[in-house]
Amino acid sequence: MTNLRDASTDSTFGPYRPDALPPAVRRYLDAQEDTTGREAIADAFAPGARVFDENTEYLGGDAIRRWLTKAAGQYSYTTTFLGQADPGGGRWVVLARLEGDFPGGVVDLHFRFRVEDDLIAELVIEP
């Protein structure tokens, strides 16, 4: 498995174009501000998927569902997608700015995806 944390996947960002992203990635990103039903997008992830967010790793469907539910209820925020990159090999990187009631109030995050068989196999979220 490629470790997206170590991959240099975000060298050049173009404009954000959701139509150019794989459907599973688009579905996940579209749900960023829907805090009422985020766990419903768990099926956009492969059964053995890995998510790394806030220095914590979540492996498999049950852990990812818990993460989706937890992440939805922690803070209120808006998301503005700033750009994306397609480094190839089923990898996609989306740059987003979150603004809300979390500590600091504003953060730019890289959403690094690896897609296999039309499902998200790995997602790493980091500044």
Side-chain angles (χ1 to χ4, degrees), residues 2-24:
T2 304
N3 186 342
L4 293 180
R5 294 193 70 218
D6 297 330
S8 58
T9 58
D10 54 347
S11 57
T12 305
F13 284 94
Y16 179 65
R17 292 188 22 236
D19 57 310
L21 295 170

Side-chain angles (χ1 to χ4, degrees), residues 7-47:
S8 58
T9 58
D10 54 347
S11 57
T12 305
F13 284 94
Y16 179 65
R17 292 188 22 236
D19 57 310
L21 295 170
V25 171
R26 255 192 341 259
R27 190 164 166 229
Y28 171 79
L29 294 173
D30 287 348
Q32 281 302 292
E33 293 183 32
D34 177 12
T35 59
T36 60
R38 283 199 58 209
E39 69 278 355
I41 62 167
D43 63 354
F45 290 84

Side-chain angles (χ1 to χ4, degrees), residues 10 15 18 37-38 45 48-49 53 55 60 76 78-79 92 96 118 123:
D10 54 347
R38 283 199 58 209
F45 290 84
D53 183 29
N55 295 316
S76 297
T78 59
T79 305
W92 298 85
D118 300 321
L123 169 59

Side-chain angles (χ1 to χ4, degrees), residues 34-96:
D34 177 12
T35 59
T36 60
R38 283 199 58 209
E39 69 278 355
I41 62 167
D43 63 354
F45 290 84
R50 171 186 178 264
V51 171
F52 186 84
D53 183 29
E54 297 187 274
N55 295 316
T56 303
E57 182 176 63
Y58 305 88
L59 295 173
D62 291 339
I64 289 172
R65 272 185 202 78
R66 285 191 301 274
W67 166 73
L68 287 166
T69 302
K70 175 186 130 192
Q74 265 185 316
Y75 302 106
S76 297
Y77 58 89
T78 59
T79 305
T80 303
F81 298 109
L82 304 173
Q84 68 190 49
D86 173 6
R91 294 176 297 148
W92 298 85
V93 183
V94 175
L95 178 61

